């Protein structure tokens, strides 16, 4: 059974633009281990990438569109009125609905604010949440999508890119990869 990935655009943009490595993302997409749940707000954000064309066809084969609904409204009680149109808030709303339906998913969020919402107010979803860097480690250790060298290379590229992540988080993922038995 394939797991569903619910992610904001940061995950996709990391590969497409920040580290300019669409092939790394295509490898995850083409592994057929996941369905990618992409709402309309996140869709617009990733379609703006000049490199989106490199993943568009592959992603369309494993993409699941959630029901047509303004998922940002689900999180309105936790946020200001203007906040519901952001992609990260859309994915929190989708995650809430999927959680209530008993769906098996991974929530990939990198922004501190939305992560705090999950940690403080939506603790039932917390165990399903990871960041881009943590997910890359899982793609080696748990899902066997990347070789060790590929995973390390991607994390090093992230560490040297404009992607906003603390180097300690990257170091933790590198240590996790080093400790995996393949």
């Amino acid at each position: 059974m394939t797991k569903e990935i619910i992610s904001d655009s940061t995950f996709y943009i990391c590969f497409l633009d920040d580290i300019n490595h669409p092939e790394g993302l295509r490898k995850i997409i083409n592994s057929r281990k996941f369905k990618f749940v992409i709402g309309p707000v996140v869709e617009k954000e990733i379609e703006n990438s000049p490199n989106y064309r490199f993943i568009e066809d592959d992603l369309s084969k494993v993409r699941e569109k959630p029901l047509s609904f303004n998922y940002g409204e689900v999180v309105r009680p936790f946020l200001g009125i203007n906040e519901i149109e952001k992609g990260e808030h859309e994915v929190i709303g989708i995650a809430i609905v999927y959680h209530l339906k008993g769906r098996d998913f991974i929530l990939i969020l990198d922004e501190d604010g939305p992560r705090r919402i999950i940690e403080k107010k939506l603790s039932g979803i917390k165990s399903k949440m990871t960041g881009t860097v943590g997910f890359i480690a899982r793609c080696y250790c748990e899902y066997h999508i990347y070789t060790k060298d590929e995973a390390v290379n991607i994390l090093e590229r992230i560490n040297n890119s404009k992607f906003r992540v603390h180097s300690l988080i990257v170091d933790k993922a590198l240590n996790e990869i080093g400790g995996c038995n393949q």
Side-chain angles (χ1 to χ4, degrees):
M1 183 173 191
T2 59
K3 271 196 181 225
E4 292 162 315
I5 300 289
I6 303 171
S7 176
D8 67 358
S9 60
T10 308
F11 168 71
Y12 300 98
I13 298 302
C14 174
F15 282 95
L16 296 175
D17 298 337
D18 294 346
I19 66 170
N20 194 27
H21 190 49
E23 276 304 311
L25 181 55
R26 286 186 70 226
K27 194 160 185 175
I28 297 170
I29 292 168
N30 290 327
S31 73
R32 304 286 189 207
K33 295 177 188 262
F34 310 106
K35 283 236 177 248
F36 293 81
V37 182
I38 304 172
V41 175
V42 170
E43 179 180 40
K44 284 180 188 167
E45 292 173 357
I46 63 175
E47 284 177 347
N48 286 332
S49 166
N51 293 321
Y52 178 68
R53 69 186 189 279
F54 294 119
I55 65 161
E56 186 174 13
D57 289 341
D58 294 323
L59 190 58
S60 70
K61 296 172 189 163
V62 293
R63 178 175 174 193
E64 178 177 313
K65 287 189 178 188
L67 294 173
S68 182
F69 178 77
N70 184 348
Y71 288 93
E73 288 292 339
V74 174
V75 295
R76 184 185 289 276
F78 308 112
L79 309 167
I81 196 160
N82 295 326
E83 296 293 315
I84 63 169
E85 296 180 9
K86 292 184 176 180
E88 53 267 14
H89 301 135
E90 177 183 67
V91 301
I92 292 172
I94 293 170
I96 291 168
V97 171
Y98 276 50
H99 177 70
L100 292 172
K101 292 174 107 180
R103 304 280 286 265
D104 189 18
F105 65 90
I106 298 168
L107 175 62
I108 303 174
L109 277 175
D110 291 296
E111 300 293 327
D112 288 337
R115 289 179 70 88
R116 277 193 299 276
I117 291 169
I118 298 290
E119 290 166 353
K120 292 180 180 177
K121 299 180 179 183
L122 300 165
S123 60
I125 298 173
K126 183 179 176 181
S127 66
K128 297 179 178 292
M129 182 174 64
T130 189
T132 297
V133 168
F135 184 68
I136 290 166
R138 289 174 72 179
C139 283
Y140 167 66
C141 295
E142 185 176 341
Y143 299 113
H144 312 289
I145 294 169
Y146 295 133
T147 66
K148 185 176 186 175
D149 288 343
E150 288 170 329
V152 167
N153 177 271
I154 290 169
L155 292 175
E156 287 173 349
R157 290 171 85 156
I158 288 172
N159 211 23
N160 295 316
S161 75
K162 66 180 183 176
F163 188 76
R164 291 187 330 231
V165 64
H166 197 285
S167 61
L168 292 175
I169 294 171
V170 175
D171 290 344
K172 181 180 174 188
L174 288 168
N175 287 335
E176 184 180 331
I177 288 169
C180 290
N181 295 324
Q182 293 279 336

